[in-house]
Structure formats: C-alpha cells, structure tokens
C-alpha cells in the first residue's frame, strides 16, 4: 500500500510539473500561440480580450498545478491527511469537469483518466491512513 501510494505521488509530481509548464506557456507565450494560430489560418481577432482570457486560464492551470505538486510532495513526506483532503477536492473538481465535458459534448477521455487517477490516489491515501501507523 505504501509503495503504491509513493508511486502515485511521484506520478502526481511529474504530472503537476507538466501542467505548470503548460500554464506558464499559456501566460508567457500567448502572443506566440496567437501568431501560430494566425499562420495556420485560424482567425483569433484582436489580441486584447482573447489574450487576457488565455492568460487567466494559464494562471488557473498554474494554480491547480501547484496544488497538485503540493499534494504529491506531501505524499512523499507522509503527510497523508493533507493528501487525502486535496485528493478528495481534486476528485470533486474532476467529476465536475467530466460532467461538463459530457454536457458540452467534448472529449471525455482526459476527464475519465484523471477521475480514475484521483480516485485511486484518494483510495490509497485512505487505506494508508487506516492500516499504516507510520505517518
């Protein structure tokens, strides 16, 4: 149980680092993304409002990535109570994302995978707290 939880914590740290990188790209390279979209024939319109929206989305992605990073680091340090609370919150947010992707008729595979990941992570944290007294 402990080894599986540590493996999932490492995977969460890696995924959060990738997510923080994507959010930073959205914040700092917004103009480059719009130029690339313009070259490929997608008309975005003026940079102002669209750039601001993409930057806000980038900030939200970075904040969620930092919370995921903190959760993974707490898992590596053995602070299971915090991991369990954060994993439950991420489970709720991912379930909302899944429902919204169904309602908006978009791709649900990413939401399902994250839902499975956080479900297993929450289950492992719960079992870790229940059966292991070393935290």
């Amino acid at each position: 149980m402990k080894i599986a939880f540590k493996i999932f914590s490492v995977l969460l740290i890696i995924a959060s680092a990738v997510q923080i990188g994507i959010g930073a790209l959205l914040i700092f390279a917004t103009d480059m993304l719009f130029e690339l979209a313009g070259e490929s024939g997608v008309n975005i319109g003026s940079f102002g409002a669209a750039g601001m929206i993409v930057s806000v989305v980038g900030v939200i992605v970075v904040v969620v990535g930092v919370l995921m990073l903190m959760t993974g680091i707490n898992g590596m340090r053995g602070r299971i109570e915090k991991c369990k609370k954060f994993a439950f919150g991420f489970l709720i947010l991912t379930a909302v994302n899944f429902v919204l992707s169904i309602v908006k008729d978009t791709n649900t595979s990413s939401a399902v995978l994250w839902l499975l990941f956080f479900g297993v992570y929450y289950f492992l944290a719960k079992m870790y707290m229940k059966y292991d007294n070393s935290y």
Side-chain angles (χ1 to χ4, degrees), residues 30-126:
T30 304
D31 54 346
M32 184 179 66
L33 291 173
F34 285 142
E35 287 175 10
L36 183 66
E39 289 174 3
S40 65
V42 178
N43 186 10
I44 306 259
S46 66
F47 174 75
M52 189 169 52
I53 290 170
V54 171
S55 295
V56 168
V57 169
V59 169
I60 292 170
V61 168
V62 168
V63 168
V64 171
V66 167
L67 289 174
M68 286 169 53
L69 185 66
M70 287 174 34
T71 305
I73 291 172
N74 283 332
M76 291 305 290
R77 291 183 179 170
R79 296 180 182 157
I80 309 304
E81 181 65 33
K82 286 184 179 182
C83 288
K84 193 175 111 180
K85 288 179 184 177
F86 277 138
F88 188 70
F90 284 129
L91 198 57
I92 291 172
L93 287 175
T94 309
V96 169
N97 182 22
F98 179 66
V99 170
L100 285 176
S101 61
I102 290 174
V103 169
K104 294 294 182 182
D105 197 27
T106 59
N107 190 4
T108 59
S109 59
S110 175
V112 168
L113 291 175
W114 277 112
L115 199 58
L116 288 173
F117 181 85
F118 285 120
V120 170
Y121 194 80
Y122 177 75
F123 174 76
L124 288 173
K126 191 174 177 181

